[in-house]
Amino acid sequence: MNVGILGLGLIGGSLARAYAKAGHAVYACDKDEDMLMFSQVAGVVTDRLDEKSIGQCNFILLCIYPAGCIEWLKNNAPLINKDALVMDCCGVKQLVTQQCFPLAETYGFTFVGGHPMAGNHHSGFKYSRSNLFQGAPMVLVPPRFDDMELLDRVKTAMMPCNFGSFSVTTAAEHDRMIAFTSQMPHILSNAFIKSPTALAHKGFSAGSYKDLTRVAWLNPQMWAELFLENREFVLQELNTFLNALEQYRDAVEHSDMAELIALLEDGKRAKEEVDG
């Protein structure tokens, strides 16, 4: 299989490594020429993803910011083989699928929205690894839910990544859920670490501090774009959280032991329900 990859950051680089390790030819494109050359020297990338090689690819993965993925696909859609499968790996789905589904229909190839639920707080090709997706969930947003043949095709194409599970949803439902499970934790972590107390935390912090602040180390440009592209759902989650925080603040401010215990019990009960 010839695999084309747009963007060799953590996700794109890890995908490239996974497919190269499985013996597939990998064609890649990245704005960082030095890094692209390094990926070729390292034996991960076979050659460049360009006007000559795009049509040779059976599977193309778009792994840059949503706006960049859309622009690339608009510019290169006429070059894509009609038998090819194209998938984005962006953190939001409504913006991408609204633009890319019509392009695929116009030019005859197949497009599926995708979001690999894996990563870490580092970014860039140097942190990529072939087993990043081992056992991880993969979320799919297909153009039609009843196309089982397409879903089987996607799963087969992604076998070298060793995902642990595949789930299928709509673009809107994906973005609603991701605002809570991914985007809000990054906002909370990034805001929490701004306390002046953080500068003196050494010797006073353990697992809870590390868990809460891990993703404060992020890519500002990427996450800012994702937050704004998913503005409606992010605002819903932010408002829900701010309302809850006000209740805790008021209980502490008024030394209301009964209310504080009730709030903590509610949170504990919610966690138990979520975990089943």
Side-chain angles (χ1 to χ4, degrees):
M1 182 165 60
N2 292 334
V3 181
I5 297 180
L6 173 67
L8 289 173
L10 177 66
I11 298 300
S14 295
L15 288 167
R17 290 183 186 277
Y19 283 99
K21 186 176 181 180
H24 299 288
V26 176
Y27 297 86
C29 174
D30 194 276
K31 62 183 180 181
D32 187 335
E33 283 292 324
D34 291 337
M35 193 270 295
L36 181 57
M37 291 178 63
F38 173 77
S39 68
Q40 292 180 261
V41 172
V44 176
V45 172
T46 306
D47 207 341
R48 293 172 179 269
L49 181 66
D50 55 21
E51 293 181 356
K52 295 180 180 179
S53 60
I54 288 173
Q56 302 173 24
C57 292
N58 316 103
F59 190 23
I60 298 177
L61 293 151
L62 310 180
C63 306
I64 59 175
Y65 300 165
C69 290
I70 294 168
E71 181 181 6
W72 186 91
L73 198 60
K74 284 181 177 178
N75 293 335
N76 293 284
L79 303 175
I80 296 174
N81 192 302
K82 286 181 171 53
D83 294 325
L85 174 65
V86 181
M87 177 186 290
D88 80 283
C89 295
C90 300
V92 294
K93 290 273 89 63
Q94 291 183 98
L95 176 67
V96 177
T97 56
Q98 286 169 4
Q99 297 287 325
C100 296
F101 283 155
L103 281 170
E105 187 173 353
T106 297
Y107 290 97
F109 58 86
T110 301
F111 181 87
V112 175
H115 189 180
M117 303 306 298
N120 58 51
H121 56 284
H122 293 296
S123 60
F125 184 76
K126 68 177 180 179
Y127 294 107
S128 64
R129 62 181 195 273
S130 62
N131 64 348
L132 179 67
F133 310 106
Q134 180 76 40
M138 178 67 182
V139 182
L140 302 176
V141 179
R144 298 183 307 280
F145 275 74
D146 59 350
D147 194 341
M148 299 307 298
E149 184 178 346
L150 173 58
L151 296 178
D152 287 340
R153 181 184 174 191
V154 172
K155 292 179 181 180
T156 299
M158 304 209 81
M159 283 181 63
C161 304
N162 294 310
F163 284 102
S165 64
F166 289 85
S167 59
V168 180
T169 188
T170 64
E173 180 63 12
H174 168 277
D175 289 358
R176 184 181 75 84
M177 289 301 301
I178 226 67
F180 173 73
T181 63
S182 178
Q183 294 173 340
M184 273 297 290
H186 282 81
I187 291 174
L188 301 182
S189 181
N190 196 264
F192 177 79
I193 200 64
K194 293 177 182 178
S195 168
T197 311
L199 295 172
H201 82 89
K202 291 184 178 179
F204 295 86
S205 58
S208 57
Y209 170 84
K210 293 178 181 178
D211 290 344
L212 185 55
T213 59
R214 180 180 65 84
V215 293
W217 188 288
L218 45 68
N219 181 327
Q221 179 70 31
M222 181 186 77
W223 283 101
E225 289 192 21
L226 291 174
F227 296 154
L228 294 181
E229 284 157 359
N230 202 23
R231 179 176 177 272
E232 177 185 354
F233 291 122
V234 170
L235 283 174
Q236 287 180 13
E237 293 298 336
L238 273 172
N239 289 331
T240 298
F241 185 73
L242 290 172
N243 290 336
L245 274 185
E246 286 182 358
Q247 296 177 51
Y248 288 91
R249 183 197 62 194
D250 291 347
V252 172
E253 183 178 2
H254 297 106
S255 298
D256 190 338
M257 176 69 80
E259 176 65 11
L260 191 55
I261 290 174
L263 289 170
L264 295 172
E265 286 287 356
D266 285 345
K268 178 183 176 184
R269 189 180 305 112
K271 174 62 174 173
E272 290 172 348
E273 292 176 0
V274 168
D275 290 350

